[in-house]
Amino acid sequence: MSDALPPVPPLPPQSAAAAARATAETPTYDPATDPDDTGVPTTLVGDASDVGGGFFRALFDLSFRTFITRRLASVFYLVGLIAIGIGFIVYLVSGLVQGISALWFNPGAGISLIVATIILVPIATLLAIIALRFVIEGVVALIAIAENTQRTAENTAD
């Protein structure tokens, strides 16, 4: 066994206080200089009549070179949330009505149905919202990967 001491790591080039001051002096985040551009335009350029033209041109692009999924993701999410909300109301009301009607014939079953409805319907609704979000985020991520891969291929072509 050796009595040698373990190596001591080198000291950083500046103190923690100096690093904190340097961090505080850095400019705030600017999306225009972000190297991880997702391809979503932040400003509109051109004529106002051109705004919808890109969407419809992409919608009827038979070669599928232009993706519309990222543009419609928020619409799909909103429609999904509305559908889940309607399902929540329908299942909650019908479960409560069935539980109340079961109270007359079998009080234990009626109470069980009411309690189960009050507990399970909100949990199922929350899980449905989470699943909807996961699916939409997954699809948007795949489209972003495809767009970035296409841009990379265009920029590295011989």
Side-chain angles (χ1 to χ4, degrees), residues 21 27 31 54-55 57 62 65 75 80 84 92 101 114 137 151:
R21 279 192 302 275
F55 173 75
R57 191 174 308 122
L62 297 179
R65 295 190 189 276
V75 175
I84 291 171
L92 185 70
S101 66
I114 291 171
E137 284 182 3
R151 273 198 307 250

Side-chain angles (χ1 to χ4, degrees), residues 11 14 24-25 31 44 50 55-56 67-68 73 79 89 94 97 100 119 127-128 130 133 140 144 150-151 156-157:
L11 292 175
Q14 59 185 357
E25 296 169 358
L44 294 176
D50 293 339
F55 173 75
F56 286 108
F67 300 105
I68 64 168
V79 170
I89 293 169
S94 66
V97 167
I100 292 170
I119 293 172
L127 292 175
I130 292 170
R133 183 70 187 207
V140 167
Q150 181 182 5
R151 273 198 307 250
T156 57

Side-chain angles (χ1 to χ4, degrees), residues 16-118:
R21 279 192 302 275
T23 304
E25 296 169 358
T26 57
T28 59
Y29 174 73
D30 181 17
T33 61
D34 188 1
D36 185 26
D37 181 23
T38 58
V40 178
T42 56
T43 60
L44 294 176
V45 288
D47 191 18
S49 62
D50 293 339
V51 172
F55 173 75
F56 286 108
R57 191 174 308 122
L59 185 62
F60 295 108
D61 177 22
L62 297 179
S63 63
F64 287 94
R65 295 190 189 276
T66 309
F67 300 105
I68 64 168
T69 308
R70 291 176 68 179
R71 298 177 194 169
L72 294 177
S74 59
V75 175
F76 290 147
Y77 188 61
L78 180 64
V79 170
L81 287 178
I82 291 171
I84 291 171
I86 291 170
F88 171 78
I89 293 169
V90 167
Y91 282 111
L92 185 70
V93 169
S94 66
L96 292 176
V97 167
Q98 289 177 2
I100 292 170
S101 66
L103 283 173
W104 301 110
F105 304 107
N106 187 348
I111 291 172
S112 297
L113 185 58
I114 291 171
V115 170
T117 299
I118 290 173

